[in-house]
């Protein structure tokens, strides 16, 4: 169905970002405008899911230039879910930031940066054009540079150097690979590229381009061995910014792998093996780091690496179980990684503790402690919590493809996730209180966004049967590229 709806989650934050700049000295007005924009994006994202469920796909051809010649935005059952989940996290993060971001940062273009990173993420999820995927990457990266350096201190400046250099290098590789792809195919429209590739007899050069592209997406998604920049970059800024980085930026890299692999390189055993190896090694590296780290933020960051490895392995199966499991797992991971960062931020706020040590916080903050415990069970994939269903489907998909070793690795990674995160609960929350600690009171209402996103994750976990049908429609756009091609190029629509 042709509609203007795909552009709305991009246009609204872009418009409000420009308006908030005009009120740089008026924090209350910036907060109001940013909240309004985020609520509007969330409302339209939910409506878009309803429309996608009704019409399979929403397509906008910018300037009325028909595909494959113009810029195309598309929303289907895959990316509409990710846009909506991201909108929930943006709203929760914004409400959390009101209580935790200091005025210096608020006056340093925090809110325009927040809205612009929303533009980049929603645009990257929505674009049907490979070059504009690069454009939206650059928008989210430029805004992430701004957020990374908001209220700059020495630690943030040092951590930003590796982040900027990595992204400059990755962006250069991406542009080169896009240019090579364009010289062969003659278009940047993803559907047209997929159609052209399927009719080519010699694809060796394309598979080399595919390896470079996926390498770039792995750098941006922070898979092993390309994740080392993330340890400092995601840990240095305030937690409200780390939530966006850890929960959302890495998922843009994952989505890019899913979309390009499913459309361009689905017939390549080389690309499949390449992705599987990267995913498996990331799980192993993430597990080792999560076990040995004592820094609270670093434990969370290495858990991000583990989850990305699991989802990449699920993507590589390119079967119904693996891809649907990856989508369920991604939604759960976006919500709960955001919640995990928020809890760590609150621990640091009330106690000043950044490393594993005995604090006994559960005596004074029982709601925070038990909410964290539920997050741990969900991320570890303990049934019947929300992480279980997606991981079970990924394991089933790997076994179906005879990747039994990697399936066992995915299953065992849940034990490592549980062990690494339960250490925080047993030390920081549950063990005897450290009388030398001076605890601050929690800001009023700061736990509301945390509890809200955990509740949404739990509801999704117990509603998998209701969501199955919609997710099945979404993954068909990945598993059946010809269907996507027909809809976008108007062959069957």
């Amino acid at each position: 169905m042709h509609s203007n709806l795909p552009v709305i989650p991009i246009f609204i934050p872009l418009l409000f970002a420009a308006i908030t700049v005009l009120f740089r000295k008026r924090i209350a007005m910036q907060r109001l405008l940013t909240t309004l924009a985020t609520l509007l994006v969330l409302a339209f994202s939910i409506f878009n899911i309803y429309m996608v469920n009704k019409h399979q796909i929403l397509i906008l051809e910018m300037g009325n230039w028909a595909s494959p010649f113009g810029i195309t935005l598309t929303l289907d059952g895959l990316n509409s879910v990710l846009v909506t989940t991201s909108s929930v996290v943006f709203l929760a993060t914004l409400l959390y930031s009101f209580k935790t971001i200091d005025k210096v940062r608020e006056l340093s273009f925090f809110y325009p940066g927040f809205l612009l990173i929303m533009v980049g993420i929603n645009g990257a999820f929505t674009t049907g054009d490979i070059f504009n995927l690069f454009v939206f990457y650059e928008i989210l990266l430029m805004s992430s540079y701004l957020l990374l350096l908001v209220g700059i201190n020495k630690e943030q400046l040092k951590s930003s150097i590796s982040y900027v250099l990595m992204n400059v290098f990755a962006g250069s590789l991406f542009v080169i690979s896009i240019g090579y792809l364009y010289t062969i195919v003659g278009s940047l429209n993803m559907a047209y590229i997929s159609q052209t590739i399927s009719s080519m007899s010699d694809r060796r050069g394309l598979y080399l381009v595919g390896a470079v592209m996926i390498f770039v997406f792995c750098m941006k998604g922070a898979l092993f061995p390309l994740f080392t920049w993330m340890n400092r970059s995601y840990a240095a800024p305030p937690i409200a910014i780390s939530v966006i980085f850890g929960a959302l930026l890495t998922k843009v890299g994952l989505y890019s792998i899913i979309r390009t692999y499913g459309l361009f390189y689905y017939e390549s055993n080389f690309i499949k093996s390449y992705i599987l190896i990267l995913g498996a090694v990331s799980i192993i590296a993430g597990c080792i780091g999560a076990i040995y780290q004592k820094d609270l933020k670093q434990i969370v960051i290495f858990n991000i690496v583990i989850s990305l490895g699991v989802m990449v392995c699920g993507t590589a199966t390119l079967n119904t179980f693996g891809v649907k499991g990856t989508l369920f797992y991604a939604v759960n991971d976006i919500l709960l990684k955001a919640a995990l960062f928020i809890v760590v931020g609150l621990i640091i706020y009330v106690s000043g503790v950044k490393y594993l040590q005995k604090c006994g916080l559960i005596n004074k903050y029982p709601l925070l402690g038990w909410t964290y415990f539920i997050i741990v069970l969900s991320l570890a994939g303990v049934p019947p919590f929300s992480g279980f269903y997606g991981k079970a489907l990924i394991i089933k998909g790997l076994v179906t493809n005879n990747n039994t070793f990697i399936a066992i690795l995915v299953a065992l990674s849940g034990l490592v996730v549980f062990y690494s995160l339960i250490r925080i609960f047993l030390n920081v929350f549950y063990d005897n209180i450290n009388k030398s600690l001076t605890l601050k009171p929690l800001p009023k209402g700061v736990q509301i966004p945390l509890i809200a996103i955990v509740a949404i994750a739990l509801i999704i976990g117990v509603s998998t049967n209701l969501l199955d049908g919609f997710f099945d429609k979404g993954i068909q756009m990945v598993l059946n590229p010809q269907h996507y091609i027909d809809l976008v190029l108007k062959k069957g629509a």
Side-chain angles (χ1 to χ4, degrees):
M1 173 186 172
H2 286 265
S3 169
N4 291 325
L5 289 172
V7 78
I8 292 179
I10 303 169
F11 176 74
I12 289 174
L14 181 62
L15 174 64
F16 277 79
I19 296 173
T20 54
V21 172
L22 302 177
F23 298 94
R24 185 191 170 190
K25 299 295 184 181
R26 298 175 63 183
I27 293 175
M29 182 60 73
Q30 289 191 62
R31 287 183 171 188
L32 177 63
L33 290 169
T34 308
T35 304
L36 178 59
T38 308
L39 285 170
L40 286 171
V41 170
L42 177 58
F44 276 104
S45 299
I46 294 170
F47 180 68
N48 285 345
I49 284 184
Y50 166 76
M51 294 299 290
V52 167
N53 191 42
K54 189 175 180 180
H55 299 286
Q56 293 187 299
I57 194 169
L58 303 176
I59 302 169
L60 174 62
E61 293 171 334
M62 304 294 287
N64 287 325
W65 283 85
S67 301
F69 305 106
I71 297 171
T72 304
L73 300 177
T74 64
L75 274 175
D76 55 31
L78 175 65
N79 53 9
S80 62
V81 170
L82 295 175
V83 170
T84 304
T85 310
S86 299
S87 300
V88 171
V89 169
F90 272 118
L91 181 59
T93 307
L94 181 65
L95 297 177
Y96 172 77
S97 71
F98 290 162
K99 303 291 184 178
T100 57
I101 292 289
D102 59 76
K103 287 188 177 181
V104 172
R105 290 186 168 93
E106 286 187 297
L107 291 170
S108 301
F109 299 104
F110 171 77
Y111 295 109
F114 180 92
L115 290 168
L116 286 174
I117 206 167
M118 194 186 304
V119 172
I121 289 173
N122 289 344
F125 283 147
T126 307
T127 184
D129 179 285
I130 192 69
F131 182 76
N132 280 286
L133 178 61
F134 166 76
V135 171
F136 284 116
Y137 261 128
E138 293 306 301
I139 292 172
L140 73 88
L141 289 172
M142 290 301 293
S143 51
S144 68
Y145 299 154
L146 171 61
L147 291 181
L148 187 63
L149 299 175
V150 159
I152 188 167
N153 56 40
K154 184 178 180 181
E155 183 184 1
Q156 285 178 256
L157 181 61
K158 287 168 62 179
S159 66
S160 67
I161 294 173
S162 60
Y163 183 71
V164 172
L165 290 177
M166 182 281 299
N167 280 295
V168 168
F169 177 62
S172 301
L173 286 179
F174 196 16
V175 169
I176 292 168
S177 60
I178 290 172
Y180 187 83
L181 193 60
Y182 181 74
T183 60
I184 297 173
V185 179
S187 176
L188 297 169
N189 182 280
M190 293 185 187
Y192 185 81
I193 293 171
S194 179
Q195 181 187 56
T196 305
I197 289 175
S198 65
S199 64
M200 294 176 61
S201 56
D202 186 0
R203 305 176 193 170
R204 289 173 294 180
L206 285 168
Y207 291 155
L208 178 60
V209 173
V212 174
M213 272 192 179
I214 289 169
F215 178 83
V216 170
F217 300 147
C218 287
M219 289 181 73
K220 294 180 180 293
L223 270 79
F224 183 87
L226 312 167
F227 72 91
T228 52
W229 57 269
M230 184 172 66
N231 298 62
R232 292 175 64 184
S233 302
Y234 283 19
I239 287 292
I241 296 170
S242 296
V243 170
I244 299 171
F245 285 11
L248 297 177
L249 292 194
T250 51
K251 303 309 181 296
V252 176
L254 172 71
Y255 171 77
S256 302
I257 293 172
I258 294 172
R259 188 60 89 186
T260 54
Y261 176 48
L263 281 175
F264 304 165
Y265 310 115
Y266 56 92
E267 293 183 344
S268 171
N269 289 326
F270 165 70
I271 297 294
K272 177 181 179 178
S273 300
Y274 178 55
I275 294 174
L276 271 174
I277 291 169
L278 285 172
V281 176
S282 294
I283 294 172
I284 295 169
C287 287
I288 293 170
I291 289 172
Y292 284 99
Q293 279 291 335
K294 296 188 182 298
D295 183 300
L296 302 182
K297 286 186 179 180
Q298 295 296 338
I299 291 172
V300 176
I301 287 169
F302 276 103
N303 271 276
I304 292 173
V305 177
I306 297 172
S307 63
L308 286 167
V310 170
M311 289 183 282
V312 166
C313 288
T315 301
T317 65
L318 215 60
N319 60 37
T320 301
F321 302 119
V323 177
K324 184 162 71 171
T326 298
L327 185 53
F328 267 108
Y329 196 95
V331 170
N332 178 72
D333 199 68
I334 289 172
L335 294 171
L336 293 179
K337 284 300 190 303
L340 196 58
F341 267 111
I342 289 174
V343 172
V344 169
L346 293 178
I347 291 171
I348 296 171
Y349 178 87
V350 301
S351 67
V353 169
K354 296 183 179 181
Y355 297 89
L356 287 175
Q357 60 177 276
K358 297 177 181 181
C359 299
L361 296 185
I362 204 164
N363 297 315
K364 190 170 183 180
Y365 311 104
L367 182 59
L368 181 64
W370 292 114
T371 302
Y372 175 79
F373 187 68
I374 292 171
I375 294 170
V376 173
L377 296 178
S378 299
L379 286 173
V382 176
F385 293 95
S386 55
F388 171 73
Y389 187 64
K391 183 171 287 187
L393 285 176
I394 290 172
I395 292 170
K396 188 173 182 179
L398 288 165
V399 172
T400 301
N401 277 16
N402 296 317
N403 300 120
T404 307
F405 172 76
I406 297 179
I408 294 171
L409 189 62
V410 169
L412 293 176
S413 70
L415 298 176
V416 176
V417 169
F418 180 78
Y419 170 75
S420 65
L421 296 178
I422 204 66
R423 287 189 302 158
I424 297 176
F425 181 76
L426 295 176
N427 283 274
V428 177
F429 283 106
Y430 204 69
D431 219 324
N432 292 330
I433 192 164
N434 184 343
K435 294 182 179 180
S436 64
L437 283 177
T438 302
L439 300 179
K440 295 181 184 177
L442 281 171
K444 188 177 180 180
V446 75
Q447 295 184 83
I448 293 175
L450 168 65
I451 294 168
I453 55 180
V454 173
I456 292 170
L458 291 176
I459 291 169
I460 291 171
V462 299
S463 306
T464 51
N465 290 337
L466 298 176
L467 297 172
D468 255 342
F470 179 74
F471 277 32
D472 279 332
K473 292 179 183 177
I475 66 171
Q476 288 310 310
M477 296 295 180
V478 179
L479 300 177
N480 184 6
Q482 189 58 49
H483 183 52
Y484 178 86
I485 292 167
D486 291 343
L487 289 171
V488 174
L489 301 182
K490 300 192 250 345
K491 292 184 177 183

